[in-house]
């Protein structure tokens, strides 16, 4: 017994001493730790706020400059740049007004002309501006116009306009020597092909800091410029005042001085030398610390300290990378004492708390150590087990000490709660379907809370209603949520008030509550309701979870309160999970809409494609489903996961997305000479010229005494020959199945005719066409030209992005024509089949190249990486003669082969293509049968397409009735 007592005594002493020492050490450490952490948090918060200021200023400045740059670009494309008179310039005032209203920081939009003329529109939005320009009370705009008159003097005329653009008056022209051509913004714009920005300076008239953004109109030689005030930057700085004496300022360093760009007191930023306004430098703001800091060599360091008048200041500086300047610095200064005041207060409080804890704890340590030691060891083991997520049954944790016993009971409840919570969140987190997830949340919540019924309402922002999403009734399972009422979010229903108040628990008693209509619909009476708003990460209500109890006593017990607290925690996780699934579903719907929008745009781009992009996905997925359903080889066991179905779906919808790059006039080329227009009209006019020349020659011969009747007969014969030759050329222009060699020879014979051009053919044409014509020297007029010609300027050089390297990252194997386009007249008229040249046919085929390039650039997730290859393989052939990669069958995926068949069958049977008559079903199958024999399409898939009836299912839905004829598929199914 003595030994046992001695051992017990040593344990108690050890625990007591340990507790005391730990409390002392912990208290002292806690005191210092609080100071360290609080100081660190305050400094980090200071840095975060400083970064926030930087980001806000940068984004604000870039946004404003971008908007103004767009404005001056748009105005540069209008006629105001070439307007010579005031009245013509005033026609563009509505555009200037709209631009000024769009960007509040604009203090004026101006045009400087290369003649020295000047036109500026300023908004009148304050009394200072109104007085400055002596504007009437109704004036919203003031317009200055400076012109150089015949006497060589420059005159300024000022006009005032109301908001409705009614002219309120004009001033008498007066001499003014202002010349925009000497202004920095004009000279900078003149030297640049892009928009330019000046350094910050003081606007004389409005007495505010700002910059001028200008852009020169290339065609007119005039400069459009906008004056942008930087007052909003000062307003932004004024919002960030960390401590009462903190200073935040935006400076620009030029030479050895720091000039103020933005400061909390905008008035102090501007100094006046006589009648000249200028920017203040850091020493003129009336702030001693800023005046002192501007002289310190470490001012531009990211973090620095200053000792000023015996006080320590902490400073930060960041170089703002803005388009207008590379020398703008954001500087923040704060006195260290003010910045760390809270940390020192907490440090003192922590010391007091530690001393009190030591005094209170020591007397109880001995007694508690004795009572706690053994059961605490057991609880420690249990806690360790729980920390490893081991929730096996535990032994009895009872203790004679009430607190320890309660701790053991609480640990048992915690273990049960954690286990149940982990089980529930694992179940919810694994559910991907939004509707099933909502059902699970409602069901599990009703089960955990022991409620008689539960329903979940969700906010539908699009319709502006609170809509029931899931309803559970104990013993009856799911109920139709459509039976419950909907509520308008803008209405005054009490349930909407409960949703907006954001309370976690709302208990409504008996009848006369907001839930009467719901409980009556569910067949419940005298219910007590607990309503829990579901909130997302932004603490916005996205729904309401309602639990119904038939007796109030069921929610009054301590155990039930614990369940409800558990439900509250679960509801928070459920809300975030619901939001995540909803956002994921919305993102997929958005992607789906964009895909279908692009496909629809491609189909509507040309009347020759119709609904091709919309029907190919239907046919591809129909064939894929038949392969999944097949129990015969080679498709037995073939199946597609949800991710693979999504991959096929996206690939089939985007299989022709590259057509957005194909010129319409190539796709729609109806005749051989057609480009953007049909050049047959030019050829016809040349024949008309030859006929007029023949007529003139006739009259000349008659005038020289020739036989009039004989000459007339010759003239008519020549006219008839020219008409017949043009008819032949026109017939060749229409294209056809085959162009015989004899026709080509006759074309060349006709082309040898000549006609005389007396006007320079380089006048009034685009610069691009001028470049092509400059390949050859200018000929002296008049020039004799062939009736039909293949000229050097008809050749478009293939260069830059239009070139394709033989060794490329995409594996394209293509025969690339030498020229991008060859618009030679003889060359085009001699096309053997159809209307397309080799260059144009390459352009059309290039759509599949562009499809692959476009899709390869998209960051598809891992389960969709096959989309580009599936979409880009629908013009490949099993024998390796397809394009653009010349893949053989074993190198093509099964979905890609399916899309080949879908693309061909849809193209053969489409009835909405005006250039061809839709083929009957039997004819389309016959053509595909030949393709299968020629090893162009996959034989197994073609047989499945027929034997499964997929061709007939599609035909009955999408083909015209007279296209669906009888097809004997047995001949195609034979091996």
């Amino acid at each position: 017994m003595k030994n046992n007592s001695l051992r017990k005594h040593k344990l108690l002493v050890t625990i007591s001493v340990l507790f005391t020492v730990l409390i002392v050490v912990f208290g002292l450490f806690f005191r210092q730790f609080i100071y360290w952490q609080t100081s660190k948090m305050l400094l980090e918060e200071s840095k975060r706020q400083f970064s926030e200021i930087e980001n806000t200023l940068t984004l604000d400045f870039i946004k404003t400059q971008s908007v103004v740059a767009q404005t001056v670009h748009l105005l540069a494309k209008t006629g105001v740049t070439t307007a010579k008179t005031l009245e013509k310039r005033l026609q563009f005032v509505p555009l200037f007004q709209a631009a000024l209203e769009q960007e509040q920081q604009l203090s004026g939009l101006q045009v400087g002309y290369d003649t020295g003329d000047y036109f500026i529109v300023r908004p009148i939005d304050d009394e200072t501006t109104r007085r400055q320009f002596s504007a009437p009370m109704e004036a919203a705009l003031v317009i200055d116009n400076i012109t150089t008159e015949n006497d060589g003097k420059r005159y300024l005329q000022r006009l005032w306009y109301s908001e409705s653009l009614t002219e309120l008056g004009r001033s008498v022209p007066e001499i003014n020597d202002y010349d925009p051509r000497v202004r920095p913004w004009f000279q900078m714009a003149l030297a640049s092909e892009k928009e330019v920005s000046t350094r910050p300076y003081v606007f004389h008239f409005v007495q505010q800091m700002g910059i001028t953004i200008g852009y020169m109109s290339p065609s007119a030689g005039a400069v459009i410029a906008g004056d942008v005030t930087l007052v909003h930057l000062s307003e932004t700085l004024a919002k960030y005042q960390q401590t009462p004496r903190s200073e935040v300022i935006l400076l620009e360093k030029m030479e050895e001085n720091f000039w103020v760009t933005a400061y909390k007191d905008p008035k102090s930023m501007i100094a006046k030398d006589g009648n000249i306004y200028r920017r203040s430098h850091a020493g003129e703001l009336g702030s001693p610390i800023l005046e002192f800091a501007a002289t310190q060599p470490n001012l531009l360091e990211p973090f620095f300290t200053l000792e000023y008048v015996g006080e320590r200041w902490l400073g930060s500086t960041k170089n703002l990378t803005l388009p207008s300047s590379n020398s703008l610095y954001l500087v923040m200064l704060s006195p260290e004492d003010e910045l760390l005041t809270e940390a020192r207060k907490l440090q003192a409080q922590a010391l007091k708390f530690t001393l009190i804890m030591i005094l209170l704890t020591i007397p109880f340590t001995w007694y508690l150590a004795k009572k706690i030691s053994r059961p605490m060891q057991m609880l420690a083991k249990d806690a360790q087990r729980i920390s490893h997520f081991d929730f096996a049954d535990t032994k009895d944790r009872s203790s004679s000490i009430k607190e320890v016993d309660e701790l053991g009971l609480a640990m048992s409840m915690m273990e049960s709660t954690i286990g149940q919570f982990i089980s529930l969140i694992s179940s919810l987190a694994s559910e991907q379907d939004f509707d099933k997830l909502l059902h699970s949340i409602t069901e599990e919540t009703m089960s955990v809370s022991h409620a008689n019924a539960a329903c979940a309402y969700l906010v539908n922002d699009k319709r502006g209603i609170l809509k029931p999403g899931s309803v559970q009734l104990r013993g009856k399972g799911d109920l139709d949520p459509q039976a419950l009422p909907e509520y308008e979010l803008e209405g005054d229903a009490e349930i909407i008030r409960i949703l907006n108040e954001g309370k976690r628990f709302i208990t409504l008693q008996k009848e006369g509550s907001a839930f009467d209509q719901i409980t009556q619909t569910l067949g419940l009476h005298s219910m007590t309701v607990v309503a829990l708003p579901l909130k997302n990460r932004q603490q916005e209500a996205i729904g309401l979870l309602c639990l119904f109890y038939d007796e109030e006593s069921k929610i009054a017990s301590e155990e039930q309160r614990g369940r409800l607290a558990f439900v509250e925690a679960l509801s928070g996780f459920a809300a975030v999970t619901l939001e995540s699934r909803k956002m994921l579903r919305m993102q997929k719907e958005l992607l789906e809409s964009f895909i279908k929008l692009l496909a629809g745009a491609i189909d509507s781009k040309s009347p020759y494609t119709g609904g091709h992009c919309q029907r190919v996905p239907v046919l591809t997925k129909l064939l894929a489903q038949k392969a999944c359903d097949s129990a015969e080889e080679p498709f037995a066991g073939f199946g597609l996961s949800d991710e693979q179905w999504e991959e096929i779906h996206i690939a089939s919808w985007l299989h022709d997305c590259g057509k957005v790059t194909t010129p319409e006039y190539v796709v729609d080329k109806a005749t051989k000479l057609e480009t953007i227009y049909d050049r047959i009209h030019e050829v016809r006019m040349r024949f008309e010229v030859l006929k007029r020349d023949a007529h003139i020659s006739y009259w000349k011969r008659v005038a020289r005494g020739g036989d009039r009747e004989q000459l007339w007969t010759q003239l008519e014969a020549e006219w008839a020959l020219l008409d017949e030759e043009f008819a032949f050329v026109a017939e060749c222009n229409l294209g056809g199945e085959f162009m015989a060699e004899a026709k080509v020879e006759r074309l060349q014979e006709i082309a040898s005719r000549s006609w005389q051009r007396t006007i320079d053919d380089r006048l009034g044409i685009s610069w691009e066409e001028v470049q092509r014509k400059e390949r050859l020297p200018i000929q002296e007029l008049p020039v004799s030209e062939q009736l039909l010609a293949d000229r050097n300027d008809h050749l478009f050089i293939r260069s830059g992005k239009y070139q394709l390297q033989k060794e490329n990252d995409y594996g394209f194997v293509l025969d690339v024509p030498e020229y991008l386009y060859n618009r030679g007249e003889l060359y085009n008229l001699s096309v053997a089949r159809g209307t397309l040249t080799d260059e144009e046919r390459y352009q059309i085929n290039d759509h599949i190249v562009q499809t692959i390039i476009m899709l390869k650039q998209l960051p598809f997730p891992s389960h969709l990486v096959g989309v580009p290859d599936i979409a880009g393989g629908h013009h490949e052939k099993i024998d390796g003669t397809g394009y653009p990669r010349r893949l053989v069958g074993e190198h093509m995926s099964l979905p890609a082969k399916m899309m080949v068949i879908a693309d061909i069958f849809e193209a053969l049977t489409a009835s909405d293509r005006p250039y061809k008559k839709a083929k009957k079903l039997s004819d389309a199958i016959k053509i595909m049968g030949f393709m299968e024999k020629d090893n162009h399409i996959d034989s197994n898939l073609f047989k499945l397409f027929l034997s499964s009836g997929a061709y007939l299912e599609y035909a009955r839905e999408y083909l015209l009735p007279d296209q669906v004829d009888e097809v004997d598929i047995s001949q195609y199914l034979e091996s």
Side-chain angles (χ1 to χ4, degrees):
M1 289 294 292
K2 186 175 180 180
N3 290 336
N4 291 338
S5 177
L6 181 60
R7 287 196 298 270
K8 184 175 181 180
H9 175 73
K10 289 182 179 180
L11 180 61
L12 291 176
V13 171
T14 301
I15 293 176
S16 299
V17 173
L18 179 61
F19 274 19
T20 303
V21 172
L22 285 176
I23 291 171
V24 172
V25 172
F26 175 79
L28 295 175
F29 175 78
F30 181 70
R31 169 180 174 271
Q32 192 61 33
F33 179 80
I34 285 180
Y35 178 77
W36 288 338
Q37 291 300 310
T38 307
S39 300
K40 182 179 178 182
M41 289 172 59
L42 290 172
L43 292 175
E44 289 297 323
E45 175 61 19
S46 176
K47 293 178 183 178
R48 185 201 64 77
Q49 191 176 34
F50 192 50
S51 297
E52 183 179 343
I53 299 173
E54 177 199 12
N55 294 335
T56 302
L57 290 177
T58 303
L59 293 175
D60 195 6
F61 192 94
I62 291 175
K63 176 184 175 183
T64 300
Q65 188 173 31
S66 175
V67 172
V68 176
Q70 291 177 7
T71 299
V72 297
H73 269 279
L74 290 175
L75 291 176
K77 297 181 184 297
T78 66
V80 73
T81 59
T82 57
K84 303 296 185 182
T85 66
L86 171 61
E87 299 307 318
K88 287 186 178 180
R89 294 167 186 169
L90 291 176
Q91 294 175 7
F92 298 93
V93 170
L95 288 177
F96 281 68
Q97 183 189 39
L100 290 170
E101 290 176 350
Q102 180 185 7
E103 183 53 55
Q104 299 299 318
Q105 275 69 48
L106 270 174
S107 67
L109 280 171
Q110 53 202 321
V111 186
Y113 298 87
D114 55 4
T115 62
D117 282 9
Y118 180 66
F119 182 75
I120 182 170
V121 180
R122 296 185 179 95
I124 301 176
D125 48 16
D126 57 55
E127 287 303 317
T128 302
T129 308
R130 191 178 304 279
R131 289 194 300 270
Q132 182 75 30
F133 294 100
S134 303
M137 288 301 297
E138 302 83 8
L141 297 175
V142 58
I143 301 171
D144 286 349
N145 184 64
I146 298 177
T147 56
T148 304
E149 300 301 331
N150 294 333
D151 58 2
K153 296 181 180 179
R154 302 172 60 78
Y155 289 87
L156 163 68
Q157 186 170 17
R158 181 164 294 162
L159 301 87
W160 298 275
Y161 275 73
S162 68
E163 188 173 359
S164 59
L165 296 185
T166 301
E167 183 175 329
L168 302 176
R170 300 189 182 192
S171 67
V172 176
E174 58 183 27
I175 297 176
N176 189 293
D177 60 354
Y178 181 88
D179 190 342
R181 294 172 296 183
V182 302
R183 301 300 296 165
W185 54 266
F186 189 100
Q187 295 176 352
M188 291 171 65
L190 207 61
S192 175
E193 296 180 355
K194 301 186 298 183
E195 73 273 7
V196 298
S197 298
T198 66
R199 286 180 173 274
Y201 66 98
V202 178
F203 296 152
H204 176 76
F205 285 100
V206 296
Q207 298 174 20
Q208 291 181 351
M209 194 77 67
I211 62 172
T212 299
I213 299 173
Y215 175 72
M216 185 190 76
S217 171
S219 59
V223 175
I224 300 287
D227 289 337
V228 183
T229 66
L230 301 180
V231 175
H232 58 292
L233 299 183
S234 296
E235 293 173 349
T236 300
L237 292 184
K239 298 177 183 177
Y240 295 93
Q241 188 75 14
Q242 277 196 315
T243 69
R245 292 191 294 146
S246 291
E247 296 283 4
V248 184
I249 189 170
L250 186 62
L251 299 173
E252 182 177 22
K253 185 175 183 182
M254 290 188 294
E255 298 178 355
E256 296 301 319
N257 287 328
F258 290 92
W259 298 93
V260 182
T261 301
Y263 186 59
K264 63 184 178 182
D265 181 11
K267 294 182 179 179
S268 64
M269 294 164 48
I270 300 173
K272 189 175 181 181
D273 295 334
N275 293 326
I276 303 300
Y277 292 95
R278 63 169 177 82
R279 299 166 68 183
S280 300
H281 54 73
E284 296 178 314
L285 297 175
S287 173
I289 184 62
L290 288 177
E291 182 178 359
F292 174 74
T295 63
Q296 301 307 302
N298 60 344
L299 177 63
L300 299 184
E301 294 180 3
F303 300 100
F304 59 91
T305 59
L306 298 175
E307 294 291 334
Y308 178 69
V309 194
E311 187 176 19
R312 181 180 173 88
W313 288 71
L314 303 180
S316 298
T317 300
K318 287 196 175 182
N319 185 359
L320 267 62
T321 306
L322 298 178
S324 63
S325 176
N326 293 324
S327 57
L328 281 177
Y329 297 93
L330 180 63
V331 180
M332 183 169 70
L333 291 166
S334 296
E336 186 181 45
D337 287 342
E338 287 185 1
L339 200 62
L340 302 181
T341 298
E342 290 300 320
R344 289 173 178 166
K345 286 182 180 178
L346 289 175
Q347 185 184 36
Q349 292 175 358
L351 178 60
K352 294 178 182 179
F353 176 79
T354 302
L355 293 175
I356 294 172
M357 285 296 297
I358 293 173
L359 295 175
L360 292 177
T361 304
I362 291 177
F364 297 99
T365 301
W366 184 273
Y367 177 79
L368 293 178
K370 181 179 178 181
K371 296 291 184 181
I372 291 174
S373 57
R374 187 172 179 276
M376 284 299 295
Q377 291 175 357
M378 296 174 58
L379 292 175
K381 292 179 180 178
D382 289 340
Q384 187 177 13
R385 179 175 50 78
I386 294 173
S387 69
H388 291 89
F389 295 95
D390 179 6
F391 301 109
D393 292 337
T394 59
K395 298 179 180 179
D396 182 26
R397 303 187 184 93
S398 60
S399 171
S400 59
I401 301 176
K402 181 180 179 182
E403 289 77 4
V404 177
D405 188 61
E406 289 176 350
L407 180 60
L409 181 60
M411 186 167 289
S412 297
M413 295 176 62
M414 178 185 70
E415 180 179 356
S416 174
T417 301
I418 292 176
Q420 193 174 19
F421 186 77
I422 290 176
S423 176
L424 284 175
I425 63 174
S426 297
S427 174
L428 296 180
S430 63
E431 182 57 66
Q432 299 298 317
D433 185 86
F434 182 83
D435 295 326
K436 291 181 180 178
L437 175 64
L438 185 61
H439 171 272
S440 297
I441 290 173
T442 310
E443 183 178 41
E444 295 293 348
T445 303
M446 182 182 70
S447 175
V448 170
S449 63
H450 294 184
N452 296 94
C455 71
Y457 270 83
L458 294 180
V459 171
N460 188 320
D461 293 317
K462 190 173 183 180
R463 293 179 54 196
I465 62 171
L466 186 64
K467 181 180 179 181
S470 178
V471 185
Q472 294 284 321
L473 192 60
R474 185 175 296 279
K476 294 186 179 180
D478 293 343
L479 296 181
D480 183 8
Q482 301 300 323
L484 296 185
E486 297 179 350
Y487 299 92
E488 294 185 2
L489 294 177
E490 299 299 329
D492 57 356
E494 188 178 359
I495 192 171
I496 298 300
R497 179 183 60 78
I498 294 171
L499 176 74
N500 294 332
E501 284 181 353
K503 295 180 181 178
R504 301 306 298 175
F505 288 95
I506 301 168
T507 304
L508 302 173
Q509 300 291 332
K510 313 296 181 183
E511 293 82 10
S513 74
F515 295 90
D516 279 354
Q517 191 176 357
I518 299 175
T519 55
Q520 290 172 10
T521 303
L522 295 177
L524 305 173
H525 302 284
S526 301
M527 301 300 292
T528 297
V529 183
V530 176
L532 297 89
L534 301 175
K535 294 187 177 183
N536 60 16
R537 295 174 179 85
Q538 290 74 38
Q539 292 301 303
E540 298 169 344
I542 64 170
L544 199 64
L545 187 59
C546 306
L547 306 174
F548 299 88
Y549 295 88
D550 57 2
E551 296 179 11
E552 183 181 356
S553 59
K554 286 189 175 181
I555 66 170
S557 66
E558 188 69 28
E559 182 179 358
Q560 184 62 21
R561 288 191 187 130
R563 292 194 188 102
L564 292 178
F566 174 76
V567 169
E568 181 185 12
L570 179 63
S571 68
F573 174 79
V576 173
T577 306
L578 280 172
E579 181 193 28
S580 300
R581 297 295 180 271
K582 183 178 180 181
M583 291 177 64
L584 182 61
R585 185 172 68 176
M586 291 171 64
Q587 288 174 352
K588 287 190 175 182
E589 290 174 353
L590 180 62
L591 174 62
E592 181 78 4
S593 298
F594 269 118
I595 290 171
K596 293 184 177 179
L597 179 68
L598 177 59
I602 294 169
D603 281 344
S604 62
K605 179 181 178 183
S606 168
Y608 302 125
T609 57
H612 176 75
C613 290
Q614 300 178 44
R615 290 190 289 266
V616 166
V618 174
L619 198 50
T620 303
K621 287 187 280 189
L622 176 61
L623 184 54
Q625 187 60 57
K626 296 299 182 183
C628 292
D629 296 341
S630 177
E632 300 179 1
E633 295 295 339
F635 302 107
F638 174 77
L640 295 172
S641 64
D642 291 343
E643 288 80 8
Q644 289 171 319
W645 275 111
E646 184 180 6
E647 189 176 52
I648 290 178
H649 173 77
I650 293 176
S652 58
W653 272 97
L654 294 177
H655 77 285
D656 270 348
C657 67
K659 284 185 177 178
V660 298
T661 65
T662 306
E664 278 187 58
Y665 73 88
V666 175
V667 178
D668 300 346
K669 188 178 182 186
T671 64
K672 295 180 180 180
L673 288 177
E674 183 177 353
T675 54
I676 296 179
Y677 73 102
D678 197 337
R679 293 180 291 162
I680 192 66
H681 304 301
E682 294 183 17
V683 176
R684 183 178 66 249
M685 186 55 64
R686 296 174 199 162
F687 275 93
E688 293 283 3
V689 170
L690 291 180
K691 291 179 72 175
R692 299 299 184 278
D693 288 348
H695 200 182
I696 293 170
S697 177
Y698 160 76
W699 284 112
K700 286 182 177 179
R701 288 187 227 174
V702 169
R704 288 197 294 266
D707 188 325
R708 188 166 185 165
E709 291 186 1
Q710 181 181 2
L711 291 173
W712 181 258
T713 301
Q714 293 175 359
L715 175 62
E716 287 183 326
E718 188 169 358
W719 277 356
L721 177 60
L722 287 170
D723 288 343
E724 189 276 331
E725 286 180 345
F726 175 73
F728 173 75
V729 173
E731 179 185 359
C732 293
N733 187 45
L734 295 177
E737 293 297 324
F738 180 70
M739 182 80 169
E741 185 64 30
K743 288 187 176 183
V744 176
E745 292 176 358
R746 189 173 182 207
L747 270 176
Q748 294 174 342
E749 180 182 344
I750 294 172
S752 65
R753 284 182 177 273
S754 62
W755 64 286
Q756 195 171 59
R757 177 172 58 82
T758 62
I759 299 176
D760 188 354
D761 63 353
R762 305 189 184 200
L763 298 177
I765 60 177
S766 69
W767 67 271
E768 187 269 342
E769 189 173 358
V770 169
Q771 285 184 321
R772 285 189 276 117
K773 285 190 176 291
E774 287 179 347
R775 297 174 193 161
L776 297 177
I778 298 177
Q779 295 178 291
E780 185 176 351
L781 297 174
V783 177
S784 180
E785 294 193 349
Q786 283 188 301
L787 187 62
L788 300 172
D790 289 339
R791 300 195 307 270
N792 189 275
D793 59 277
H794 283 147
L795 302 176
F796 288 67
I797 304 301
R798 182 180 296 279
S799 61
K801 66 178 181 178
Y802 299 107
Q803 291 180 331
L804 181 66
Q805 302 298 328
K806 287 187 177 180
E807 300 295 330
N808 55 79
D809 296 335
Y810 302 99
F812 299 143
V813 184
L814 296 169
D815 298 324
V816 183
E818 179 182 359
Y819 297 105
L820 182 63
Y821 294 108
N822 184 340
R823 297 205 177 138
E825 294 164 346
L826 267 176
Y827 179 76
N828 277 262
L829 288 169
S830 301
V831 169
R833 294 181 184 275
T835 63
L836 298 177
T837 64
D838 291 341
E839 291 80 8
E840 291 164 340
R841 194 169 299 281
Y842 178 83
Q843 279 283 357
I844 289 181
N845 292 342
D846 186 61
H847 82 272
I848 194 64
V849 171
Q850 299 305 320
T851 293
I852 294 174
I853 292 175
M854 289 165 65
L855 294 181
K856 285 286 188 181
Q857 292 175 349
L858 296 179
F860 286 111
S862 59
H863 69 283
L864 297 178
V865 291
V867 167
D869 293 325
I870 297 174
H874 67 277
H875 284 295
E876 300 289 353
K877 298 178 182 179
I878 303 300
D879 62 357
T881 60
Y883 65 90
R885 294 172 172 173
R886 297 183 185 175
L887 300 175
V888 293
E890 56 264 30
H891 294 155
M892 297 173 62
S893 67
L894 200 57
K897 296 177 184 177
M898 293 174 182
M899 195 173 296
V900 172
I901 292 177
D903 189 72
I904 295 172
F905 185 71
E906 194 287 329
L908 290 173
T909 58
S911 58
D912 53 3
R913 302 191 181 185
Y915 67 90
K916 74 175 186 69
K917 183 179 179 181
K919 295 188 181 297
K920 290 185 177 294
L921 188 59
S922 58
D923 294 335
I925 297 299
K926 183 178 181 180
I927 293 172
M928 294 182 71
F930 288 134
M931 298 178 75
E932 186 256 343
K933 289 181 180 178
D934 292 339
N935 203 23
H936 288 174
I937 60 177
D938 186 85
S939 178
N940 292 323
L941 277 175
F942 178 60
K943 289 180 172 61
L944 176 67
F945 182 60
L946 298 177
S947 63
S948 66
Y951 78 99
L952 194 55
E953 289 182 33
Y954 176 84
R956 288 170 177 168
E957 180 71 23
Y958 293 97
L959 271 58
L960 298 175
D962 59 354
Q963 286 183 261
V964 185
D965 57 354
E966 292 294 329
V967 182
D968 180 14
I969 64 173
S970 60
Q971 57 182 314
Y972 305 109
L973 298 178
E974 297 175 358
S975 301

